[in-house]
Amino acid sequence: MPHAQRDALILVSDSLNLIEVAEAIAGDQVAQVQNWIGEKLLEKPTQEQLSDWNSHPDNLFNTLIVQPFVLIQAVV
């Protein structure tokens, strides 16, 4: 919740490798990150998603912190 409240969550598509995304963000690979954003593979969670996740605490996520962001990816 605190990360969502400070708008720091980034939802990573399950089609991407979470570690590669973290490395791209940390390494300032702007073109790659913008490409993922443009393809909606990286996005901020919607208020509906946040509410749904809070209603279903059994949902699992892999997470990585890349200051100041917290990358989250649903476990499928």
Side-chain angles (χ1 to χ4, degrees):
M1 282 305 280
H3 303 299
Q5 290 172 342
R6 65 180 182 85
D7 198 30
L9 291 180
I10 298 177
L11 182 59
V12 178
S13 167
D14 62 358
S15 66
L16 296 176
N17 180 293
L18 188 61
I19 294 172
E20 289 177 9
V21 172
E23 288 174 343
I25 292 172
D28 259 350
Q29 296 175 17
V30 176
Q32 180 62 65
V33 172
Q34 286 179 337
N35 184 51
W36 288 328
I37 292 170
E39 293 179 16
K40 302 223 182 268
L41 299 174
L42 292 181
E43 54 191 351
K44 300 279 185 160
T46 66
Q47 195 61 42
E48 286 178 351
Q49 287 171 312
L50 293 170
S51 293
D52 182 56
W53 298 337
N54 286 330
S55 298
H56 299 94
D58 54 331
N59 289 343
L60 297 176
F61 294 89
N62 289 319
T63 60
L64 268 173
I65 297 172
V66 180
Q67 288 287 13
F69 304 109
V70 177
L71 307 179
I72 61 172
Q73 187 175 53
V75 174
V76 289

